[in-house]
Amino acid sequence: MQLTGNLLIGQESAFGSNGSIKAVNAATGAAIEPAFGGATLADLDRACALAWAAFDVYRETAPEARAKFLDTIAQNILDIGDDLIERCMIESGLPRARLEGERGRTVGQLRMFADVVRNGDFLGVRIDPAQPERKPLPRVDLRLRHIGVGPVAVFGASNFPLAFSVAGGDTASALAAGCPVIVKAHSAHPGTAELVGRAVQKAVKDCGMPEGTFSLLFDSGRDVGQGLVKDNRIKAAGFTGSRGGGTALMKLAAARPEPIPVYAEMSSINPVLLFPAALANRGEAIAKAFVGSLVLGAGQFCTNPGLVLAVDGPDLDKFIAAASAALSETAAQTMLTPGICKTYQGAVERAGEHAGVTTAARGVEAKGANQGRSALFITTAEAFRTSHELQEEIFGASSLVVRCPDLATMLDLVESLEGQLTSALHIDEADYAEAKRVLPALERRTGRLLVNGFGTGVEVGHAMVHGGPFPSTADGRSTSVGSLAINRFLRPVSYQDLPDALLPDALKTDNPLGLNRRVDGKLQLAK
Ligand code: NAP
């Protein structure tokens, strides 16, 4: 499929005239064709105007029509075929198998949200019927449903060029909620963005959705991304990337005359707690699994295990020796972009030079451009507690083991951690009592707690939370993965004493959509 480098604004496709960007071959650092034209502020205005015009129509589309639209996007992405995988491999440096799996996840997410829309529970219908005879005052008729918040800006992630980009989790959940989406393409994978963007644009047309339901913009600087978040027709944003980028957008959104939420997923070091019995019984096996998780995808997962806490002693020595042996055999891997690789190398260098840190092991030396070489560091509880920089995410295959003098110190250190996407406990039965003691502290700062595993590998389902307190995300009350992600882009509206003729179908008395509803607080399942 030929790439055009065009902006996709509604059903239009035109080359942006505000400078241009080119993708870079992640493996060689060479620029690759074609150029992608940057959007002007006029393009941004047009995309926002179309999205705003689409909103009232799109959010009232019948559940089956909206579900079919999401299914059609999924099918259109599959129909691109191998061109998508090949372009994405060049732009991201990620291997074929990973990207084919990621495409499966992307399509699966879209289909899951189609089912969520068909099911209708996301509307959260509640009905408190009128009680005209109630004394001393009659009760009004109150009905509640959720509607989309409005057009949503999506900033795709560099580390998930399919599953968290143009038609990824943020876009799928916003579209499912009834919100038009404007995507600011990530400059690391513009070709992938165009291919997927055209699949969505075609689905809009095929399914007869309003034109402004979807637009895709390239940005040759920062103006378009920032302009999107500042535009008063945009009512929420989804972002995955750096802490600096996420907080910059959060500040812009908060400074608007009408502030909006930015659901930013930013940085997390995903602590792994090794408890004494597990460490003594299975330390070496845990070490191997830990290294496998650490180096997966060149360590470029937001759930990468960047911190290990354990009690010092011979069992921890054995763990470190086994992890070091495994890690020192790991090959350097192509990173997503030269910029991410440079940031990684700088951060690893600084960690190695830190006065309180020693280097346990490095992976095989890198040959060639843009290669990330894995790293394992060791520090003390005292150094970790007093050096905040040791808590900062190193995006790549680098982790830090903290030798704690005793279990109480290890559990105390948890209280000094920032918000996390995941926390993992490695425990045997003899550890349960101590593990139970630390759970409240972990719950307060973690989105997903897991036992005897690692956070990499995020299941897309109904009970998944991929979120957590700041800085892992901007708002720990939500998730960006799984069906609950739809809630970020919904808001409740109550209707008091509206005649049936004026009520939306979801709230009409004879329940034409066949929805489950909470009537007077009691769940009534649809027949
Ligand atoms: P990034 O630099 O934050 O960029 C993410 C997106 O936001 C891109 O579209 C970028 O535009 C845009 N952006 C960034 N700063 C902005 C600003 N101040 N105003 C407006 N738009 C802005 O993230 P990245 O390029 O994907 O990776 C860089 C670093 O982010 C990594 O080294 C890593 O530390 C972190 N990261 C973390 C995670 C995680 O899940 N924890 C995932 C990915 C990356 P451009 O495309 O034009 O640059």
Side-chain angles (χ1 to χ4, degrees), residues 64-294:
E64 183 51 38
R66 205 187 300 166
K68 190 161 167 270
F69 170 50
L70 292 165
D71 281 338
T72 305
I73 298 173
Q75 189 55 49
N76 289 355
I77 290 171
L78 289 176
D79 288 348
I80 305 168
D82 215 39
D83 286 358
L84 179 62
I85 300 296
E86 280 177 5
R87 177 75 191 192
C88 197
M89 282 169 68
I90 297 171
E91 290 185 333
S92 68
L94 294 169
R96 172 176 288 277
R98 151 74 198 270
L99 290 174
E100 286 176 349
E102 200 183 316
R103 177 176 58 186
R105 173 174 162 180
T106 309
V107 166
Q109 285 173 163
L110 286 157
R111 291 178 175 154
M112 177 190 72
F113 278 112
D115 287 343
V116 166
V117 172
R118 280 191 184 98
N119 166 282
D121 280 352
F122 77 98
L123 292 164
V125 171
R126 291 165 176 232
I127 299 181
D128 295 344
Q131 292 176 355
E133 311 305 330
R134 193 181 70 173
K135 300 281 185 241
L137 290 172
R139 187 171 85 173
V140 295
D141 181 278
L142 263 185
R143 297 171 187 232
L144 177 154
R145 69 163 178 166
H146 287 76
I147 67 167
V149 291
V152 171
V154 170
F155 292 76
S158 58
N159 59 339
F160 278 91
L162 298 172
F164 256 79
S165 193
V166 176
D170 286 342
T171 298
S173 51
L175 290 176
C179 302
V181 168
I182 303 176
V183 176
K184 201 298 272 178
H186 199 292
S187 55
H189 54 260
T192 306
E194 183 190 327
L195 290 173
V196 176
R198 278 158 56 183
V200 184
Q201 189 188 47
K202 182 170 179 299
V204 170
K205 187 164 178 230
D206 292 348
C207 298
M209 292 294 155
E211 180 180 5
T213 302
F214 174 79
S215 291
L216 171 70
L217 303 175
F218 299 104
D219 190 359
S220 59
R222 292 281 190 240
D223 288 352
V224 172
Q226 297 190 354
L228 259 182
V229 170
K230 286 194 282 190
D231 193 286
N232 65 2
R233 292 160 291 192
I234 296 294
K235 301 301 180 190
F239 168 96
T240 305
S242 65
R243 189 165 175 170
T247 48
L249 296 177
M250 284 164 67
K251 278 185 194 145
L252 287 175
R256 288 168 40 137
E258 179 202 357
I260 57 164
V262 173
Y263 294 101
E265 186 195 318
M266 296 169 287
S267 75
S268 179
I269 54 173
N270 307 300
V272 174
L273 278 65
L274 305 178
F275 281 76
L279 190 59
N281 296 335
R282 303 180 283 116
E284 293 181 7
I286 297 171
K288 283 187 191 134
F290 158 68
V291 171
S293 175
L294 179 65

